[in-house]
Amino acid sequence: MTKTEIPPDHPRRVSLETREAIIEGHEAHIVATAGLLAHGRGEAFDYLIGETTTDLARNAARAAVAALLSASHPVLSVNGNVCSLVPEELVELSELCRAPLEINLFYYRKEREDAIKDALFAAGAKEVLGTHDRPSMTIPELSSNRRKVDPEGIGSGDVILVPLEDGDRTEALKAIGKFVITIDLNPMSRTAVFSDITIVDNVVRTLPLMTELAREMKELPKEELHRIVESFDNTKNLAMAVEVIIKHLEATAKDIGKIRERKRTGVKKI
Ligand code: PTJ
């Protein structure tokens, strides 16, 4: 299929290019068909937070990076959506935090696993865990495909980053004592609520931010990293993320006439 060209001056260029990346990922078997729907849901929530990385998300990303850098065995879980959107950043974050990449799919097909593995190696990964040729163990009380984990990865990991995760698995990871970090545009999702740190932001903005923070913070003493993690309160973070949406909607409601004018003249994207 030919790639759809997005004009550089299109007011919604970034969003449309991200959508193109997901569509291409689907055509390459990286993204599950359900991943297209998940992306659409993410787009809607991104609109509600103003399509920007809020100070709140920045603070959560800082706590997340502190948790990864101070962990004994951090692991980055990779699914189809995140692999299609930010493969290079995943590899970079994995190197900076010494956290292996583990493929862990909800809609498992070997064809998808192979495509994701190839994409990660093409992005510079030297090792990818969670593939069918590796040993596996199971997370108790989880019936989805994601119950299978790599013993050298999530199986023995203490801090696990699970971007765009489903709620059952987050609960199961918590039940077996893992410290869970997620990136989810929906602050009300089960994953967002059950995780220890939730970055309410788009993975296309969060992963580059996390790599930047990891470069800055990697020499910080462990005590300082622990202090950053301990002072983070996810319940407060999520409540404030919902407030961000409410405030953004209220401001939009007050400004709707001006927005129509801007849209017509193409002065500013909103
Ligand atoms: O590749 P697989 O087989 O492991 O499947 C991956 C998906 C994403 C299909 C699977 O985990 C799934 O069905 O996820 P859910 O339950 O639809 O949850 C996805 C969550 O991620 C939703 O809360 C979305 O709002 C959110 N989301 C979608 N796109 C983004 C996002 N959050 C951050 N950045 C995004 N780009």
Side-chain angles (χ1 to χ4, degrees):
M1 201 190 252
T2 31
K3 191 175 181 311
T4 307
E5 285 301 325
I6 317 289
D9 60 345
H10 193 290
R12 301 205 47 76
R13 184 179 57 81
V14 176
S15 177
L16 292 179
E17 281 176 355
T18 309
R19 190 183 285 183
E20 274 307 301
I22 281 283
I23 294 170
E24 280 174 30
H26 185 246
E27 284 162 5
H29 308 293
I30 292 171
V31 174
T33 302
L36 299 174
L37 305 176
H39 184 76
R41 188 141 53 111
E43 279 185 351
F45 274 102
D46 207 6
Y47 219 93
L48 295 180
I49 65 166
E51 293 176 309
T52 185
T53 298
T54 62
D55 289 345
L56 211 56
R58 199 172 291 276
N59 187 45
R62 191 161 173 272
V65 169
L68 289 168
L69 287 171
S70 59
S72 311
H73 186 8
V75 179
L76 311 186
S77 179
V78 180
N79 66 19
N81 286 50
V82 78
C83 174
S84 83
L85 294 177
V86 279
E88 280 92 8
E89 290 84 352
L90 281 172
V91 173
E92 198 181 346
L93 188 65
S94 153
E95 281 167 6
L96 287 164
C97 299
R98 296 192 188 89
L101 296 164
E102 173 167 345
I103 301 176
N104 199 265
L105 304 179
F106 190 82
Y107 300 98
Y108 181 84
R109 285 204 338 260
K110 176 160 180 308
E111 190 184 29
R112 291 194 58 219
E113 178 193 298
D114 291 344
I116 292 170
K117 187 171 83 174
D118 291 350
L120 291 174
F121 279 124
K126 293 180 186 67
E127 186 187 31
V128 175
L129 305 180
T131 52
H132 70 282
D133 52 341
R134 290 191 45 87
S136 75
M137 57 189 275
T138 49
I139 299 180
E141 293 173 46
L142 188 60
S143 54
S144 79
N145 274 312
R146 279 181 166 157
R147 71 183 176 278
K148 278 196 181 170
V149 294
D150 195 307
E152 282 179 37
I154 294 170
S156 53
D158 55 350
V159 175
I160 324 288
L161 173 69
V162 285
L164 281 85
E165 185 56 88
D166 89 293
D168 282 354
R169 181 141 174 282
T170 309
E171 273 195 66
L173 289 173
K174 283 305 307 160
I176 57 168
K178 310 289 180 188
F179 187 94
V180 179
I181 302 168
T182 195
I183 305 164
D184 193 328
L185 278 158
N186 177 2
M188 293 159 284
S189 76
R190 268 200 309 147
T191 294
V193 171
F194 277 100
S195 294
D196 295 283
I197 299 176
T198 304
I199 307 166
V200 182
D201 197 15
N202 196 319
V203 292
V204 300
R205 295 188 297 267
T206 308
L207 259 295
L209 172 64
M210 287 177 82
T211 55
E212 189 190 313
L213 288 169
R215 269 193 299 274
E216 274 171 35
M217 294 165 68
K218 71 179 171 28
E219 306 303 343
L220 287 182
K222 283 238 168 169
E223 306 78 67
E224 174 66 7
L225 296 170
H226 285 140
R227 199 197 52 73
I228 295 170
V229 178
E230 274 154 27
S231 63
F232 183 81
D233 177 344
N234 208 30
T235 307
K236 207 160 139 198
N237 170 52
L238 292 174
M240 285 167 75
V242 175
E243 288 287 337
V244 164
I245 293 178
I246 294 169
K247 288 210 177 88
H248 184 243
L249 289 177
E250 279 171 355
T252 306
K254 282 203 193 101
D255 224 22
I256 202 86
K258 288 184 204 144
I259 292 166
R260 190 175 50 196
E261 190 56 29
R262 280 192 222 119
K263 278 189 193 277
R264 205 155 46 87
T265 56
V267 174
K268 185 177 176 286
K269 100 172 178 143
I270 196 128

